[in-house]
Amino acid sequence: TTLFLSERPDSRVPEVTQTRVRDASRKLGYRRSGLVSSAGRIHTVGLVTRMEPRRDPTLEVYPRDVLAATAHACREAGLRLTLISYPFDGTLNVDDVVDRRVDGLILVSLHDEGFTKQVYASGCPTVTIGSGFSPRRVGFDHRGGAWLATQHLLELGHRRR
């Protein structure tokens, strides 16, 4: 707590104490947690997705579209967006994700139940898009979307020949 208070611009902790606390934290190898050290909101959302290099770039359309839509929504809301790429070898550490200075996380199509459950268990506000492993999930109505698209084409006069 003293280290956290020492770093604030309006700190009432005496300079001598601040110096002692900083020296001790360096000596002990203390690493700040972004989640714990942020006082209040920092207006940043983290988006975690798998961006694998593939031969066919059209296969990556879904994550890119979600990223673009999320970036737009964040800009409109006055929020910053941090992209956290989930490596295709599955080596992303949960601590590395939740320690980012973010107010919340969006997990996009990770299909890693263990990782997803650990992120939720960390207490960081999280929502998942496109994966069934979470208590707070946004899904898509593909059947309804296909029906609406078909209806639209029929209304425009398109018919089978």
Side-chain angles (χ1 to χ4, degrees):
T1 304
T2 306
L3 179 60
F4 170 71
L5 292 174
S6 297
E7 294 176 342
R8 294 182 60 170
D10 61 345
S11 176
R12 294 184 190 154
V13 177
E15 186 64 39
V16 174
T17 304
Q18 289 181 33
T19 302
R20 273 196 353 245
V21 169
R22 279 192 221 108
D23 289 345
S25 67
R26 272 192 294 276
K27 185 177 179 181
L28 294 171
Y30 174 77
R31 191 182 105 200
R32 282 179 14 156
S33 165
L35 190 61
V36 173
S37 66
S38 60
R41 295 187 52 191
I42 59 169
H43 307 288
T44 302
V45 173
L47 186 139
V48 183
T49 190
R50 187 172 260 167
M51 298 294 282
E52 298 181 33
R54 297 189 182 181
R55 289 185 199 166
D56 184 357
T58 60
L59 296 174
E60 288 296 320
V61 169
Y62 173 73
R64 282 194 313 242
D65 285 350
V66 172
L67 175 59
T70 305
H72 177 75
C74 284
R75 268 192 313 277
E76 292 288 314
L79 300 171
R80 291 181 299 264
L81 178 65
T82 297
L83 175 63
I84 304 164
S85 182
Y86 186 92
F88 51 92
D89 64 1
T91 58
L92 189 61
N93 184 312
V94 173
D95 292 334
D96 292 338
V97 173
V98 298
D99 281 353
R100 305 280 176 123
R101 292 188 57 103
V102 295
D103 293 312
L105 292 167
I106 300 171
L107 309 180
V108 181
S109 296
L110 294 184
H111 306 294
D112 182 339
E113 184 174 5
F115 177 82
T116 301
K117 286 181 176 180
Q118 288 176 4
V119 170
Y120 275 91
S122 75
C124 183
T126 304
V127 66
T128 303
I129 298 175
S131 174
F133 307 124
S134 68
R136 291 177 299 282
R137 181 175 84 88
V138 176
F140 301 98
D141 182 2
H142 295 293
R143 181 177 294 170
W147 186 86
L148 288 171
T150 303
Q151 288 301 114
H152 177 70
L153 292 173
L154 291 172
E155 289 169 7
L156 292 174
H158 296 283
R159 299 282 185 260
R160 186 178 197 181
R161 294 182 193 206

